[in-house]
PDB file of all heavy atoms in Angstrom:
ATOM      1  N   PHE F  40       2.908  -1.117   7.676  1.00 98.00           N
ATOM      2  CA  PHE F  40       2.109   0.075   7.952  1.00 98.00           C
ATOM      3  C   PHE F  40       0.655  -0.083   7.467  1.00 98.00           C
ATOM      4  O   PHE F  40      -0.275  -0.178   8.282  1.00 98.00           O
ATOM      5  CB  PHE F  40       2.829   1.278   7.310  1.00 98.00           C
ATOM      6  CG  PHE F  40       1.978   2.476   7.078  1.00 98.00           C
ATOM      7  CD1 PHE F  40       1.231   3.036   8.109  1.00 98.00           C
ATOM      8  CD2 PHE F  40       1.918   3.070   5.817  1.00 98.00           C
ATOM      9  CE1 PHE F  40       0.436   4.160   7.879  1.00 98.00           C
ATOM     10  CE2 PHE F  40       1.138   4.183   5.584  1.00 98.00           C
ATOM     11  CZ  PHE F  40       0.391   4.719   6.617  1.00 98.00           C
ATOM     12  N   ILE F  41       0.430  -0.167   6.166  1.00 98.00           N
ATOM     13  CA  ILE F  41      -0.957  -0.265   5.667  1.00 98.00           C
ATOM     14  C   ILE F  41      -1.559  -1.609   6.087  1.00 98.00           C
ATOM     15  O   ILE F  41      -2.718  -1.684   6.509  1.00 98.00           O
ATOM     16  CB  ILE F  41      -1.018  -0.114   4.124  1.00 98.00           C
ATOM     17  CG1 ILE F  41      -0.477   1.253   3.687  1.00 98.00           C
ATOM     18  CG2 ILE F  41      -2.449  -0.292   3.632  1.00 98.00           C
ATOM     19  CD1 ILE F  41      -0.447   1.466   2.170  1.00 98.00           C
ATOM     20  N   ASP F  61       4.461 -12.484   7.094  1.00 98.00           N
ATOM     21  CA  ASP F  61       5.376 -11.341   6.985  1.00 98.00           C
ATOM     22  C   ASP F  61       6.788 -11.834   7.329  1.00 98.00           C
ATOM     23  O   ASP F  61       6.962 -12.698   8.186  1.00 98.00           O
ATOM     24  CB  ASP F  61       4.955 -10.239   7.965  1.00 98.00           C
ATOM     25  CG  ASP F  61       5.443  -8.869   7.527  1.00 98.00           C
ATOM     26  OD1 ASP F  61       6.663  -8.645   7.497  1.00 98.00           O
ATOM     27  OD2 ASP F  61       4.607  -8.008   7.211  1.00 98.00           O
ATOM     28  N   THR F  65      10.448  -4.769   6.954  1.00 96.00           N
ATOM     29  CA  THR F  65      10.109  -3.399   7.371  1.00 96.00           C
ATOM     30  C   THR F  65       8.934  -3.385   8.342  1.00 96.00           C
ATOM     31  O   THR F  65       8.614  -2.337   8.890  1.00 96.00           O
ATOM     32  CB  THR F  65       9.753  -2.519   6.151  1.00 96.00           C
ATOM     33  OG1 THR F  65       8.751  -3.199   5.392  1.00 96.00           O
ATOM     34  CG2 THR F  65      10.963  -2.261   5.280  1.00 96.00           C
ATOM     35  N   ASP F  86       8.456 -15.761   4.226  1.00 98.00           N
ATOM     36  CA  ASP F  86       8.873 -14.898   3.127  1.00 98.00           C
ATOM     37  C   ASP F  86       8.079 -15.303   1.886  1.00 98.00           C
ATOM     38  O   ASP F  86       8.104 -16.477   1.499  1.00 98.00           O
ATOM     39  CB  ASP F  86      10.384 -15.081   2.909  1.00 98.00           C
ATOM     40  CG  ASP F  86      10.961 -13.962   2.075  1.00 98.00           C
ATOM     41  OD1 ASP F  86      10.482 -13.764   0.939  1.00 98.00           O
ATOM     42  OD2 ASP F  86      11.875 -13.281   2.570  1.00 98.00           O
ATOM     43  N   LEU F 101       0.157  -7.581   0.038  1.00 98.00           N
ATOM     44  CA  LEU F 101       0.838  -6.301   0.257  1.00 98.00           C
ATOM     45  C   LEU F 101       2.344  -6.468   0.413  1.00 98.00           C
ATOM     46  O   LEU F 101       3.070  -5.469   0.378  1.00 98.00           O
ATOM     47  CB  LEU F 101       0.311  -5.612   1.534  1.00 98.00           C
ATOM     48  CG  LEU F 101      -1.032  -4.875   1.473  1.00 98.00           C
ATOM     49  CD1 LEU F 101      -2.192  -5.854   1.402  1.00 98.00           C
ATOM     50  CD2 LEU F 101      -1.203  -3.974   2.677  1.00 98.00           C
ATOM     51  N   TYR F 173      11.508  -1.703  -7.901  1.00 97.00           N
ATOM     52  CA  TYR F 173      10.181  -1.508  -7.318  1.00 97.00           C
ATOM     53  C   TYR F 173       9.139  -1.231  -8.402  1.00 97.00           C
ATOM     54  O   TYR F 173       8.153  -1.958  -8.508  1.00 97.00           O
ATOM     55  CB  TYR F 173      10.235  -0.353  -6.323  1.00 97.00           C
ATOM     56  CG  TYR F 173       8.947  -0.108  -5.579  1.00 97.00           C
ATOM     57  CD1 TYR F 173       8.549  -0.939  -4.539  1.00 97.00           C
ATOM     58  CD2 TYR F 173       8.124   0.963  -5.904  1.00 97.00           C
ATOM     59  CE1 TYR F 173       7.369  -0.708  -3.849  1.00 97.00           C
ATOM     60  CE2 TYR F 173       6.945   1.200  -5.215  1.00 97.00           C
ATOM     61  CZ  TYR F 173       6.573   0.368  -4.187  1.00 97.00           C
ATOM     62  OH  TYR F 173       5.398   0.597  -3.502  1.00 97.00           O
ATOM     63  N   LYS F 177       6.579  -3.980  -9.723  1.00 98.00           N
ATOM     64  CA  LYS F 177       5.113  -3.899  -9.582  1.00 98.00           C
ATOM     65  C   LYS F 177       4.420  -4.013 -10.937  1.00 98.00           C
ATOM     66  O   LYS F 177       3.317  -4.546 -11.041  1.00 98.00           O
ATOM     67  CB  LYS F 177       4.728  -2.571  -8.925  1.00 98.00           C
ATOM     68  CG  LYS F 177       5.096  -2.466  -7.451  1.00 98.00           C
ATOM     69  CD  LYS F 177       4.143  -3.236  -6.548  1.00 98.00           C
ATOM     70  CE  LYS F 177       4.467  -2.965  -5.086  1.00 98.00           C
ATOM     71  NZ  LYS F 177       3.590  -3.696  -4.151  1.00 98.00           N
ATOM     72  N   THR F 203       0.653   7.145   0.805  1.00 98.00           N
ATOM     73  CA  THR F 203      -0.226   6.995   1.957  1.00 98.00           C
ATOM     74  C   THR F 203       0.576   7.229   3.233  1.00 98.00           C
ATOM     75  O   THR F 203       1.743   6.857   3.309  1.00 98.00           O
ATOM     76  CB  THR F 203      -0.850   5.586   1.925  1.00 98.00           C
ATOM     77  OG1 THR F 203      -1.565   5.472   0.685  1.00 98.00           O
ATOM     78  CG2 THR F 203      -1.796   5.343   3.069  1.00 98.00           C
ATOM     79  N   ARG F 214      10.403   7.915   4.261  1.00 95.00           N
ATOM     80  CA  ARG F 214       9.454   8.588   3.366  1.00 95.00           C
ATOM     81  C   ARG F 214       9.199   9.999   3.873  1.00 95.00           C
ATOM     82  O   ARG F 214       9.441  10.318   5.034  1.00 95.00           O
ATOM     83  CB  ARG F 214       8.166   7.767   3.254  1.00 95.00           C
ATOM     84  CG  ARG F 214       8.367   6.573   2.338  1.00 95.00           C
ATOM     85  CD  ARG F 214       7.135   5.729   2.184  1.00 95.00           C
ATOM     86  NE  ARG F 214       7.026   4.695   3.213  1.00 95.00           N
ATOM     87  CZ  ARG F 214       6.102   3.746   3.221  1.00 95.00           C
ATOM     88  NH1 ARG F 214       5.199   3.700   2.266  1.00 95.00           N
ATOM     89  NH2 ARG F 214       6.073   2.842   4.185  1.00 95.00           N
TER      90      ARG F 214
HETATM   91  N1  LIG U 401       2.424   3.460   1.696  1.00 71.60           N
HETATM   92  C1  LIG U 401       2.403   3.888   0.454  1.00 71.60           C
HETATM   93  O1  LIG U 401       2.446   5.101   0.209  1.00 71.60           O
HETATM   94  C2  LIG U 401       2.280   2.947  -0.698  1.00 71.60           C
HETATM   95  C3  LIG U 401       2.105   3.484  -1.970  1.00 71.60           C
HETATM   96  C4  LIG U 401       1.983   2.617  -3.043  1.00 71.60           C
HETATM   97  C5  LIG U 401       1.971   1.247  -2.848  1.00 71.60           C
HETATM   98  N2  LIG U 401       2.129   0.759  -1.592  1.00 71.60           N
HETATM   99  C6  LIG U 401       2.155  -0.696  -1.448  1.00 71.60           C
HETATM  100  O2  LIG U 401       1.404  -1.093  -0.307  1.00 71.60           O
HETATM  101  C7  LIG U 401       2.036  -2.202   0.335  1.00 71.60           C
HETATM  102  C8  LIG U 401       2.271  -1.908   1.807  1.00 71.60           C
HETATM  103  O3  LIG U 401       3.048  -0.735   1.935  1.00 71.60           O
HETATM  104  P1  LIG U 401       3.409  -0.113   3.363  1.00 71.60           P
HETATM  105  O4  LIG U 401       3.506   1.344   3.185  1.00 71.60           O
HETATM  106  O5  LIG U 401       2.515  -0.693   4.383  1.00 71.60           O
HETATM  107  O6  LIG U 401       4.898  -0.665   3.536  1.00 71.60           O
HETATM  108  P2  LIG U 401       5.613  -1.429   4.742  1.00 71.60           P
HETATM  109  O7  LIG U 401       7.048  -1.505   4.372  1.00 71.60           O
HETATM  110  O8  LIG U 401       5.243  -0.808   6.039  1.00 71.60           O
HETATM  111  O9  LIG U 401       4.934  -2.866   4.697  1.00 71.60           O
HETATM  112  C9  LIG U 401       5.380  -3.905   3.860  1.00 71.60           C
HETATM  113  C10 LIG U 401       5.341  -5.198   4.654  1.00 71.60           C
HETATM  114  O10 LIG U 401       5.752  -6.276   3.798  1.00 71.60           O
HETATM  115  C11 LIG U 401       6.693  -7.086   4.513  1.00 71.60           C
HETATM  116  N3  LIG U 401       7.541  -7.758   3.518  1.00 71.60           N
HETATM  117  C12 LIG U 401       8.448  -7.192   2.686  1.00 71.60           C
HETATM  118  N4  LIG U 401       9.014  -8.131   1.911  1.00 71.60           N
HETATM  119  C13 LIG U 401       8.451  -9.322   2.260  1.00 71.60           C
HETATM  120  C14 LIG U 401       8.631 -10.660   1.826  1.00 71.60           C
HETATM  121  N5  LIG U 401       9.514 -10.980   0.863  1.00 71.60           N
HETATM  122  N6  LIG U 401       7.890 -11.622   2.413  1.00 71.60           N
HETATM  123  C15 LIG U 401       7.010 -11.331   3.406  1.00 71.60           C
HETATM  124  N7  LIG U 401       6.808 -10.085   3.858  1.00 71.60           N
HETATM  125  C16 LIG U 401       7.517  -9.092   3.291  1.00 71.60           C
HETATM  126  C17 LIG U 401       7.430  -6.108   5.401  1.00 71.60           C
HETATM  127  O11 LIG U 401       8.109  -6.712   6.489  1.00 71.60           O
HETATM  128  C18 LIG U 401       6.297  -5.195   5.848  1.00 71.60           C
HETATM  129  O12 LIG U 401       5.646  -5.696   6.991  1.00 71.60           O
HETATM  130  C19 LIG U 401       3.307  -2.489  -0.466  1.00 71.60           C
HETATM  131  O13 LIG U 401       3.014  -3.504  -1.395  1.00 71.60           O
HETATM  132  C20 LIG U 401       3.568  -1.203  -1.199  1.00 71.60           C
HETATM  133  O14 LIG U 401       4.248  -1.401  -2.396  1.00 71.60           O
HETATM  134  C21 LIG U 401       2.285   1.571  -0.511  1.00 71.60           C
END
Side-chain angles (χ1 to χ4, degrees):
F40 160 53
I41 299 178
D61 204 295
T65 52
D86 196 302
L101 281 73
Y173 184 76
K177 289 283 186 181
T203 301
R214 283 180 272 187

